Amino acid sequence: MIPEIEKADQQTIKAFQEEKLRQLISYLQEKSPYYRRLFKSHKIVAEDIQTLEDLVKIAPTTKEELQKYNADFLCVSKTDIVDYVTTSGTLGDPVTVALTDADLERLAYNESISFACAGITKEDVLQLTTTMDRRFIAGLAYFLGARKLGAGIIRVGAGIPELQWDTILKFKPSYLIVVPSFLLKLVSYAEEHGIDYKKSGIKGAVCIGESLRNQDFSLNILGNKIKEKWDIDLFSTYASTEMSTAFTECSEMQGGHQHPELIIVEVLDDNNQAVPDGTEGELTITTLGVEAMPLLRFKTGDIVVAHNEPCACGRNTVRIGPLVGRKKQMVKYKGTTLYPPAMDNLLNDFTEVESHVIEIYHNDIGTDEIGIKIASNNQSDELQNEIRDHFRSKLRVAPKIEYCSTSEIQKLRSSMLGRKPVTVIDRRG
């Protein structure tokens, strides 16, 4: 189930997106208070934007603007809104995103073709281990996508390994939708309770929220740990509430595929210029087919590398590599640029580390400092030195390390909305 446009040549995809872009510009000119104001201030009329290259005429929209003018992005009457979701607020105040019935249908289509990208069919049953409540869009998207695809889905929710295994053994799902580190907890529970997890019937996992791969698409430390224990297929998927669109890996596992019928992708530098192919930049997106709150050149804050060469799976769409990091969480530490995911990955190398939180703060002279709070049964100087040496050799930095209780780490990791565990606390104001 590959949409024809995703198999088309680059010129056909470009022409298709340009037609969709022209429709979007006209829609925003008519319906969006925010973009009408933007167009007027920059003396832009709809006829000025005809091609993808013309997008550079439009100033990007930032997360701060979406937060500050949230209601001005709404293009429909409130009576047309059937669902409200909010962002997790990881990098600031949560943003409200409204969806119409058509937007929910688009969300279902997005996730159905994303599941199909990972090889999931209507013959499969998926076990959802993320929440569907608390104004969380992802759980809703997975449920709608599975229904659109015709696959079965079991809504178990987050945590509780006992309930997860009871469900797996009772209903025999073939795929899990899961935060990858939770797979290790499922394995640990199975081993402790005599469950033969390797014969459970699970074929693979659609993995969210944590990186599985290095930038060359090889498995990172976490990915290798999972595969060593449980040899199932691991598919990464990347998305955000604001763009209501997912980038999911195919069978080749070489990055998450763009759906050109749903989203336009740019990767920009700090001056809002396109970066060369294969270069890190900020993912900037334009949503297509969104009715309630479409976004034009929205800077996601996520640093990625885009890959444009055709994929062996038959798709010719842009692929987004593993998330390098979030721009706001970039750390300049003693001459080295760091992103927290790289630090998370190194800590996964130590089985003694049960959980951790990375804190970024300014020291007395105003430069960045990194502190890592660790929960471990082995609170020895030797382990501390090993971790510090590992960081020195891999990232050329030696962060401050402090042992804490598991309960203290859990308290720090729990966000106010309880939707996403927080692994990075930025105290730089």
Side-chain angles (χ1 to χ4, degrees), residues 113-129:
I113 60 175
S114 297
F115 284 148
C117 197
I120 297 169
T121 73
K122 65 180 181 180
E123 307 298 325
D124 288 302
V125 175
L126 293 80
Q127 183 160 321
L128 179 60
T129 73

Side-chain angles (χ1 to χ4, degrees), residues 85 130-140 157-158 417-419:
V85 295
T130 64
T131 183
M132 274 191 63
D133 56 6
R134 298 175 183 169
R135 309 195 302 259
F136 191 38
I137 195 172
L140 175 64
L417 293 176
R419 282 178 7 191

Side-chain angles (χ1 to χ4, degrees), residues 20-21 23-24 27 100 102-107 261-263 286-294:
K20 294 283 187 183
L21 175 62
Q23 293 170 9
L24 172 64
Y27 183 77
T100 65
D103 291 333
L104 290 182
E105 179 59 30
R106 178 190 177 279
L107 194 63
E261 63 270 52
L262 300 179
I263 199 164
T286 295
T287 57
L288 301 174
V290 171
E291 188 173 41
M293 292 183 69

Side-chain angles (χ1 to χ4, degrees), residues 6 20 25 87 92 165 264 266 284 302 372 387 398:
E6 301 190 17
K20 294 283 187 183
I25 297 295
T87 61
W165 275 114
I264 294 170
E266 301 173 84
T284 302
D302 291 335
I372 303 176
I387 294 171

Side-chain angles (χ1 to χ4, degrees), residues 271-316:
N271 298 314
N272 297 326
Q273 300 298 309
V275 300
D277 284 355
T279 305
E280 292 178 8
E282 185 172 359
L283 181 66
T284 302
I285 58 92
T286 295
T287 57
L288 301 174
V290 171
E291 188 173 41
M293 292 183 69
L295 294 174
L296 179 62
R297 300 200 87 202
F298 175 69
K299 300 189 82 173
T300 63
D302 291 335
I303 305 300
V304 301
V305 176
H307 301 266
N308 290 286
E309 62 276 8
C311 183
C313 74
R315 294 172 178 83
N316 291 322

Side-chain angles (χ1 to χ4, degrees), residues 154-207:
I154 312 163
R155 297 173 289 108
V156 181
I160 320 177
E162 181 181 4
L163 179 59
Q164 302 291 349
W165 275 114
D166 177 71
T167 306
I168 292 169
L169 297 174
K170 189 173 292 181
F171 300 111
K172 306 295 182 187
S174 43
Y175 286 88
L176 303 175
I177 303 169
V178 63
V179 175
S181 57
F182 188 61
L183 289 170
L184 292 175
K185 292 183 179 179
L186 289 179
V187 167
S188 178
Y189 183 92
E191 289 175 340
E192 290 171 11
H193 293 83
I195 298 170
D196 190 351
Y197 58 91
K198 294 180 181 178
K199 292 183 179 178
S200 63
I202 297 294
K203 296 189 292 186
V206 176
C207 295

